[in-house]
């Protein structure tokens, strides 16, 4: 059955009026997302690079209702507060730390991400780098490009029978676990939760994992608790001659400690795809103390950057953003109460209201609706912000919207029809 078709009312006049939805996509988001949104009659502006704070704020001031970013553009509280037209943000990646989620929720701006679609790409990349580190391919490649032939088996190993330690057994970590066992690696993992192991993997405490694993790979989110998760103390717990891999977040590993261990030989190699500070565009230079460290492979934050992953992410986020704008559905939002409701049908408009939750709000909303035909309604609250949806008589929707918007608790109110 086809999904109901809604049109966003962006008018400030009394009568609902259709108008194009303006979408701003940054950081070279997949053309698939652009094509899908344009096919839905959204007006899309695509910018291939990230925008800094002032640039992004000025651009959003042009009246964009939908913003799409990847990892580089920082959507701060100040930017959000100065973007009154903004309804929703799509993070075309796993992480959402580039957006102030709390402020977005307080302003009634729903944020969505794609938590699954690039998991395979990252897992495959880590497998490739484990093998590359074990065979010192980074150093051999550099030497060959410099005309130096060094044929040796010194410090080169098979990975079969070695132990892989996975810190963070979520979507990526668990998929990596399966791939690793297929190559003959023994797998141990740690996680903040008790997670069911896949295959023959075993869950350990992090200290025990560090002492056990030959290869340690990180797959954790950026949180206050994961900042400098792997510092000098943790690296010294690792087995002499072991390897460290980080394709999660740039501030999870203390870089000076890793550099020290690589140069001393305590670590026989490392792979980094993420860094505490990264260039904002491909035109800016990359600087890091890791440059020149022995058997250290560096890549420019490409863990999820495969065509397959970006197509899948673009497809998923285009659908989520469209559903939110057109029907008010917040399913899978990372910062709002998750609400959806079947469309009540013809001669109906949908009222969507975001409000500050406080005693009496629901009674007040129902008092307003009591004088009108209501075909369905739902309310959920998350962290003090309520999300209310009601399908009402289309002839009364503007009057109802005016009354709801006048409430002291109101944050955002829309009519969809």
């Amino acid at each position: 059955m086809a999904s109901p078709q809604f049109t966003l009312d962006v008018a400030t006049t009394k009568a609902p009026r259709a108008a194009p939805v303006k979408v701003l996509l940054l950081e070279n988001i997949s053309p698939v997302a652009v094509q899908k949104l344009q096919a839905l009659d959204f007006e899309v502006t695509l910018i291939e690079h990230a925008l800094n704070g002032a640039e992004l704020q000025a651009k959003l001031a042009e009246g964009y209702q939908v913003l799409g970013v990847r990892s580089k553009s920082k959507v701060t509280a100040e930017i959000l507060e100065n973007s009154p037209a903004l309804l929703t943000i799509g993070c075309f990646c796993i992480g959402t730390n580039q957006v102030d989620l709390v402020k977005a929720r307080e302003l009634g701006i729903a944020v969505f991400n794609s938590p699954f679609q690039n998991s395979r790409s990252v897992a495959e990349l880590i497998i490739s780098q484990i093998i590359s580190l074990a065979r010192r391919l980074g150093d051999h490649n550099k030497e060959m490009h410099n005309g130096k032939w060094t044929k040796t088996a010194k410090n080169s190993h098979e990975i079969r029978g070695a132990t892989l330690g996975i810190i963070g057994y979520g979507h990526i970590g668990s998929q990596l676990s399966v791939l690793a066992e297929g190559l003959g690696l023994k797998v141990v993992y740690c996680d903040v939760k008790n997670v069911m192991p896949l295959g023959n993997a075993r869950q350990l405490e992090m200290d025990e994992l560090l002492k056990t694993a030959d290869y340690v790979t990180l797959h954790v989110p950026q949180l206050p608790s994961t900042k400098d998760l792997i510092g000098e103390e943790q690296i010294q717990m690792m087995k002499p001659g072991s390897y460290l891999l980080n394709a999660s977040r740039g501030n999870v590993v203390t870089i000076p400690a890793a550099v020290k261990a690589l140069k001393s030989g305590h670590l026989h190699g490392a792979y980094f795809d993420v860094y505490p500070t990264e260039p904002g565009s491909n035109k800016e230079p990359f600087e890091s103390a890791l440059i020149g460290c022995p058997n250290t492979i560096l890549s420019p934050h490409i863990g999820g950057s495969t065509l397959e992953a970006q197509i899948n992410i673009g497809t998923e986020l285009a659908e989520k953003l469209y559903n939110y704008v057109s029907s008010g559905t917040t399913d899978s939002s990372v910062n709002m109460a998750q609400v959806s409701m079947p469309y009540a049908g013809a001669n109906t408009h949908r009222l969507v209201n975001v409000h500050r939750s406080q005693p009496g709000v629901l009674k007040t909303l129902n008092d307003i609706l009591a004088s009108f035909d209501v075909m369905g309604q739902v309310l959920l609250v998350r962290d003090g912000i309520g999300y209310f949806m009601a399908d009402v008589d289309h002839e009364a929707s503007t009057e109802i919207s005016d009354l709801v918007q006048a409430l002291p608790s109101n944050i955002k109110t829309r009519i969809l029809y």
Side-chain angles (χ1 to χ4, degrees):
M1 181 175 173
S3 300
Q5 298 298 306
F6 290 87
T7 304
L8 174 67
D9 170 27
V10 293
T12 57
T13 59
K14 293 294 182 182
R17 176 174 58 84
V21 177
K22 296 184 65 175
V23 181
L24 176 63
L25 300 180
L26 307 179
E27 304 179 58
N28 205 26
I29 285 170
S30 171
V32 169
V34 178
Q35 294 162 8
K36 284 188 171 293
L37 291 170
Q38 288 176 335
L40 295 165
D41 295 325
F42 283 17
E43 183 181 299
V44 181
T45 299
L46 178 64
I47 297 177
E48 294 187 354
H49 56 272
L51 296 180
N52 64 34
E55 292 171 334
L56 180 54
Q57 185 169 314
K59 195 66 181 174
L60 288 173
E62 296 176 16
Y64 288 96
Q65 295 130 307
V66 179
L67 171 65
V69 299
R70 293 179 70 186
S71 59
K72 294 291 186 296
S73 298
K74 307 305 178 187
V75 189
T76 64
E78 181 180 0
I79 290 172
L80 294 169
E81 288 171 343
N82 287 280
S83 304
L86 190 61
L87 296 174
T88 183
I89 299 170
C91 297
F92 285 69
C93 52
I94 294 178
T96 56
N97 54 285
Q98 66 274 46
V99 179
D100 189 323
L101 297 179
V102 174
K103 178 56 67 174
R105 180 169 54 248
E106 291 174 352
L107 295 171
I109 300 169
V111 180
F112 299 89
N113 72 334
S114 179
F116 312 114
Q117 298 294 354
N118 68 2
S119 300
R120 177 74 183 200
S121 295
V122 178
E124 287 185 2
L125 180 64
I126 292 298
I127 289 292
S128 73
Q129 297 311 307
I130 290 171
I131 296 171
S132 295
L133 290 172
R135 301 299 299 272
R136 297 184 59 246
L137 287 181
D139 283 357
H140 283 310
N141 179 65
K142 182 167 58 178
E143 290 170 350
M144 291 292 286
H145 277 284
N146 289 329
K148 184 178 181 181
W149 182 276
T150 308
K151 183 177 179 179
T152 177
K154 184 179 179 180
N155 291 329
S156 294
H157 305 278
E158 292 184 353
I159 64 170
R160 178 178 54 178
T163 299
L164 172 64
I166 302 173
I167 299 178
Y169 204 67
H171 306 304
I172 296 172
S174 57
Q175 191 161 169
L176 172 61
S177 174
V178 174
L179 296 176
E181 282 200 344
L183 290 170
L185 284 156
K186 303 170 187 176
V187 177
V188 295
Y189 67 91
C190 67
D191 198 278
V192 293
K193 302 176 182 177
N194 289 322
V195 185
M196 184 183 75
L198 299 179
N200 298 308
R202 295 183 297 121
Q203 185 164 5
L204 303 175
E205 295 297 324
M206 192 173 85
D207 287 0
E208 187 178 357
L209 180 149
L210 292 172
K211 296 172 184 176
T212 302
D214 300 294
Y215 301 87
V216 173
T217 181
L218 296 152
H219 301 284
V220 298
Q222 182 168 313
L223 300 169
S225 59
T226 60
K227 186 177 188 299
D228 296 321
L229 182 66
I230 302 298
E232 186 164 3
E233 179 182 356
Q234 289 73 30
I235 290 174
Q236 289 306 310
M237 290 183 190
M238 294 174 63
K239 296 165 65 173
S242 57
Y243 303 83
L244 177 64
L245 301 93
N246 183 24
S248 60
R249 293 291 177 264
N251 66 356
V252 170
V253 176
T254 306
I255 299 299
V259 170
K260 179 180 177 181
L262 287 163
K263 289 184 175 179
S264 71
H266 177 69
L267 290 180
H268 272 190
Y271 168 64
F272 284 84
D273 185 50
V274 291
Y275 311 90
T277 302
E278 298 181 0
S281 72
N282 291 343
K283 296 180 180 180
E284 297 179 22
F286 169 68
E287 298 177 355
S288 174
L290 291 162
I291 295 173
C293 287
N295 197 27
T296 300
I297 302 174
L298 308 178
S299 58
H301 203 150
I302 56 169
S305 295
T306 62
L307 290 177
E308 294 84 357
Q310 294 308 306
I311 287 171
N312 292 337
I313 290 171
T315 300
E316 179 183 5
L317 263 296
E319 291 176 356
K320 287 180 177 180
L321 295 172
Y322 172 72
N323 287 338
Y324 178 73
V325 170
S326 65
S327 69
T329 298
T330 56
D331 286 346
S332 77
S333 169
V334 298
N335 71 325
M336 302 286 282
Q338 299 195 12
V339 176
S340 63
M341 186 173 69
Y343 177 45
N347 299 322
T348 300
H349 286 172
R350 175 161 290 180
L351 176 80
V352 176
N353 169 251
V354 184
H355 58 264
R356 288 175 288 277
S357 182
Q358 55 197 44
V361 170
L362 181 57
K363 179 181 182 301
T364 304
L365 288 169
N366 282 328
D367 286 345
I368 291 172
L369 295 175
S371 301
F372 305 95
D373 286 338
V374 178
M375 292 71 174
Q377 69 179 63
V378 62
L379 167 66
L380 284 178
V381 177
R382 176 174 175 178
D383 296 326
I385 302 298
Y387 194 88
F388 179 77
M389 187 185 295
D391 286 351
V392 301
D393 178 9
H394 71 288
E395 293 184 349
S397 62
T398 301
E399 182 179 354
I400 294 171
S401 175
D402 289 345
L403 292 170
V404 172
Q405 289 187 66
L407 297 177
S409 59
N410 178 69
I411 296 174
K412 280 186 186 293
T413 298
R414 298 189 286 146
I415 301 172
L416 309 175
Y417 65 98

